[in-house]
Amino acid sequence: MILPTLPPGHMTFPVEDDVFHPHLRRGELAVVDLADHQPAQGELFLIAYRDPRIECGRTFALCQMVGRPRYRRPGGGWVQQAEPGAEPATCWMARHWIPPADPRDREAALRSGRFGTSEGPFNTEHAAEKLMGRVVGVWTPGR
């Protein structure tokens, strides 16, 4: 969605590549709702990572959140099948690209060197702490 103005409680973040095409394109400004930190399946977010090399100590990136039902072990770690003491939970990954939906297209992209990275796994609470806000559209100044 193209927003004519920047709403209160929102910020912009520059889109530097086309890894989230067709949702975001290089050169656009993603509009981020700073009040929405809850991970949601397939939604785009701005995420923060610690980076001691930068003066502010944090670096930011766009990501797509993908959750899978898993089981969380009491001491940490994830398993796919229920086991004693493990509780059902959503295991979140922050993908830094949108891979093609068709497995054949995905394989072709990987063979051609077109691939992206992901971070995780995160439980819901940890993901919400890292997410700065949900991308709700793009803003084009002067439009």
Side-chain angles (χ1 to χ4, degrees):
M1 172 170 33
I2 297 175
L3 300 174
T5 61
L6 188 60
H10 291 64
M11 66 172 275
T12 60
F13 189 79
V15 179
E16 297 178 350
D17 50 39
D18 289 321
V19 296
F20 294 108
H21 186 274
H23 306 289
L24 299 172
R25 293 172 182 82
R26 178 191 320 261
E28 292 180 333
L29 294 171
V31 176
V32 179
D33 180 352
L34 297 173
D36 190 349
H37 302 269
Q38 287 303 309
Q41 184 68 22
E43 292 292 320
L44 300 180
F45 285 85
L46 182 64
I47 192 167
Y49 297 108
R50 272 187 264 153
D51 189 343
R53 301 168 299 164
I54 298 174
E55 187 176 333
C56 73
R58 293 177 18 162
T59 188
F60 304 93
L62 294 168
C63 69
Q64 180 188 47
M65 296 304 291
V66 178
R68 302 276 189 265
R70 297 287 188 264
Y71 294 87
R72 182 97 168 127
R73 290 181 169 149
W78 297 89
V79 291
Q80 291 186 25
Q81 304 295 323
E83 60 181 49
E87 297 197 7
T90 302
C91 176
W92 292 100
M93 299 297 288
R95 289 198 304 205
H96 297 286
W97 74 314
I98 298 178
D102 185 305
R104 291 174 300 204
D105 293 340
R106 189 170 29 250
E107 289 300 318
L110 292 172
R111 280 193 306 277
S112 72
R114 264 190 46 237
F115 62 91
T117 59
S118 63
E119 302 287 335
F122 304 115
N123 63 29
T124 300
E125 294 77 23
H126 188 204
E129 289 172 9
K130 296 183 80 55
L131 296 175
M132 300 298 299
R134 183 191 310 242
V135 174
V136 295
V138 296
W139 180 59
T140 308
R143 208 167 183 186

